[in-house]
Structures are given as structure tokens and as C-alpha cells.
Amino acid sequence: TYWFEISKQKYNLTNVEHKIIRKEFSDFRIHAAIVCAAKSCPPLRSEIYHPKYLDSQLDSQMKIFLMQEEKNYYDTKNNVLYLSKIFNWFEKDFITEKGSLLQNLEPYFPVYWKDHFSKEKPSIDYTDYDWSLNE
């Protein structure tokens, strides 16, 4: 683990993500933006996050992540929604006063998933996580 110093305080990237950013901002979309570069992580964004565009950038990252079928997919035949383990590990972050995990993710789901969900709420299972580094 690489440690660095800011204002005479030592940090590593894990501290920054979990003890500062997640704690300070309480926004589940952070999980689609700050990634460790493992194959099962959301993709890295090819531009910087900018305060002026942050909301739309985070929305975009969630949509992109949920559309990656090797990480998240919907089995229409068995009505099972397979999500990345990120949604399991950090489930508390995705459940808010506004709703459940499914309700909060719904705006980011591909349209064809939503069409099926309106008929019957799916059960949720989680995909395997590949920790090897992506290219």
C-alpha cells in the first residue's frame, strides 16, 4: 500500500475513498467512479471529474457500469437480476431514505430491464468478482 502525506496527515487511496469521499458525500454513485482497476470494477472514466459536470458524469458512470453485461445482467427467463458484488458489499450505501437498492438503481438500468421490472420485481443475485487487473 502506497502512503502519502497531505497537511502532515498520512493517507492511502483506501483511506481517501472510504473514510473521506464516501463518508463526506454519501453518494452511492461514487462506487461507479472510484475504482481499483480490477477486471470486475466499473470502467475508468477517460476524463477528469469536474465540479460543474459531476452529477451528469456520475449518472453516466452508473449507466455505463450497469450496462456491462459481464458484470451486471438480467435473466428475463428466470426474473433474476445479477449485479456486481459491489452492490452487495456496499449495499448500505445504495439503500437510502428514497428507496431500496433496486429503487435507487432503477434510473440507471437499461430500458429493456425496466420494461420487465414493471411486470414483476426480480430477485437479486451477484456475479463473481474478478480481482485481476484490467488492461
Side-chain angles (χ1 to χ4, degrees):
T1 301
Y2 177 76
W3 291 86
F4 51 93
E5 194 172 302
I6 301 174
S7 299
K8 298 182 181 180
Q9 183 102 2
K10 290 203 177 233
Y11 296 93
N12 66 24
L13 293 176
T14 300
N15 295 125
V16 172
E17 178 183 0
H18 298 293
K19 298 205 167 127
I20 297 173
I21 296 173
R22 283 181 55 224
K23 188 176 180 181
E24 176 77 22
F25 297 102
S26 298
D27 188 330
F28 62 80
R29 298 174 302 169
I30 288 168
H31 294 289
I34 298 176
V35 302
C36 67
K39 286 185 178 176
S40 289
C41 281
L44 293 171
R45 195 164 184 90
S46 62
E47 65 183 7
I48 63 165
Y49 288 96
H50 189 280
K52 184 176 179 182
Y53 309 110
L54 187 59
D55 252 350
S56 63
Q57 288 175 314
L58 291 174
D59 284 346
S60 172
Q61 280 303 108
M62 283 297 298
K63 288 177 183 178
I64 290 167
F65 179 40
L66 285 165
M67 287 189 324
Q68 292 186 301
E69 291 186 7
E70 68 279 6
K71 299 168 189 170
N72 305 284
Y73 62 95
Y74 179 51
D75 175 353
T76 56
K77 188 182 215 178
N78 296 304
N79 196 33
V80 179
L81 177 60
Y82 290 91
L83 294 173
S84 164
K85 281 209 168 125
I86 289 172
F87 299 107
N88 185 17
W89 296 328
F90 299 104
E91 184 176 21
K92 288 180 192 172
D93 292 359
F94 292 94
I95 298 172
T96 67
E97 66 279 348
K98 293 179 183 177
S100 68
L101 169 72
L102 201 58
Q103 289 168 319
N104 283 318
L105 291 181
E106 193 263 336
Y108 309 102
F109 288 146
V111 174
Y112 61 93
W113 291 8
K114 292 181 204 182
D115 292 342
H116 287 281
F117 295 172
S118 64
K119 296 173 190 145
E120 186 179 355
K121 183 180 170 186
S123 60
I124 297 174
D125 203 350
Y126 298 96
T127 57
D128 291 333
Y129 208 83
D130 184 348
W131 286 101
S132 58
L133 288 180
N134 67 25
E135 296 173 13

